Amino acid sequence: MTLEIETARLIIRPPSIEDFDEYWEMNNNPEAKKYTGGVITLSYDETLVIHKQACDKFESSDNKVFSVIEKSTGKYIGYCGFKYCEILNGTEICYGYNQSAWGKGYGQEAARATLPYAFEKLKLKTLVSAVNPKNIASERILQKIGMQYDGQIEWKEQGLVNKYSLTSDRYFNMAANAL
């Protein structure tokens, strides 16, 4: 079964090998990776092997990080999904976008569209995230999708970051009130 989430402007689907060149470009852009740990230090070929493994294991993995495709162009613009984070001791919503996709609301659109998957399919009790306070756009996404500020924690190479969470109870309450 192939999972695909569709919004007005995006297709959110399992990653594929065809996404790799845009993925590689995004992860080697210092501006795009400024607040997420920096550019990839592995070679193109080493990163390609890891990407291929992620594609092959998507269905069986507990981590579900989707490719985000712009409908109007069919182009890979980034990723959005969920993976376990040891530092946060929970499943984290994660996302990243090519610089050409910034400022268009795609981050919020994809994050909001994937929340039902997190709480209804994966049956998560809590979704967590951490964001560098200088990354204002990313922090806005977390706030707009209903995540609540839980204080700051220390993050290697980032210093103090803001921690957010969203419980399933809060999510289902927001969803009911949106109807």
Side-chain angles (χ1 to χ4, degrees):
M1 177 182 104
T2 302
L3 171 68
E4 190 171 282
I5 301 167
E6 194 169 330
T7 70
R9 302 178 299 157
L10 304 172
I11 296 170
I12 304 160
R13 58 153 173 79
S16 75
I17 199 67
E18 290 79 19
D19 304 332
F20 183 73
D21 285 336
E22 286 86 5
Y23 173 84
W24 172 258
E25 181 183 321
M26 176 185 66
N27 282 291
N28 280 285
N29 178 337
E31 189 64 25
K33 300 305 286 182
K34 183 189 289 186
Y35 301 116
T36 60
V39 298
I40 292 175
T41 57
L42 301 174
S43 72
Y44 180 93
D45 290 337
E46 291 168 325
T47 306
L48 179 59
V49 167
I50 293 168
H51 182 77
K52 184 173 182 343
Q53 289 171 344
C55 294
D56 292 344
K57 294 179 179 177
F58 182 84
E59 293 291 333
S60 63
S61 174
D62 290 338
N63 294 329
K64 298 293 184 201
V65 181
F66 300 94
S67 289
V68 179
I69 308 301
E70 185 179 49
K71 270 189 187 178
S72 64
T73 63
K75 184 178 175 185
Y76 172 94
I77 59 168
Y79 62 86
C80 182
F82 314 101
K83 64 181 181 176
Y84 182 79
C85 176
E86 204 169 292
I87 296 169
L88 296 171
N89 192 30
T91 301
E92 175 183 26
I93 185 168
C94 58
Y95 44 82
Y97 294 91
N98 287 326
Q99 204 167 354
S100 63
W102 292 0
K104 298 178 180 180
Y106 290 151
Q108 180 186 340
E109 188 173 332
R112 187 177 305 284
T114 59
L115 288 179
Y117 187 82
F119 292 111
E120 296 169 22
K121 300 284 189 221
L122 298 178
K123 307 283 188 206
L124 296 178
K125 294 295 177 202
T126 303
L127 191 59
V128 294
S129 192
V131 62
N132 186 310
K134 294 177 187 170
N135 192 348
I136 296 166
S138 187
E139 192 156 32
R140 261 193 228 122
I141 290 170
L142 298 176
Q143 293 165 347
K144 287 181 177 181
I145 65 169
M147 296 192 82
Q148 294 183 305
Y149 176 75
D150 292 333
Q152 292 189 311
I153 60 169
E154 185 69 31
W155 198 281
K156 186 179 178 185
E157 300 171 7
Q158 293 282 321
L160 286 176
V161 297
N162 295 337
K163 182 180 177 190
Y164 282 81
S165 66
L166 178 61
T167 65
S168 59
D169 288 344
R170 180 171 165 76
Y171 164 76
F172 286 114
N173 188 40
M174 289 184 328
N177 288 332
L179 297 177

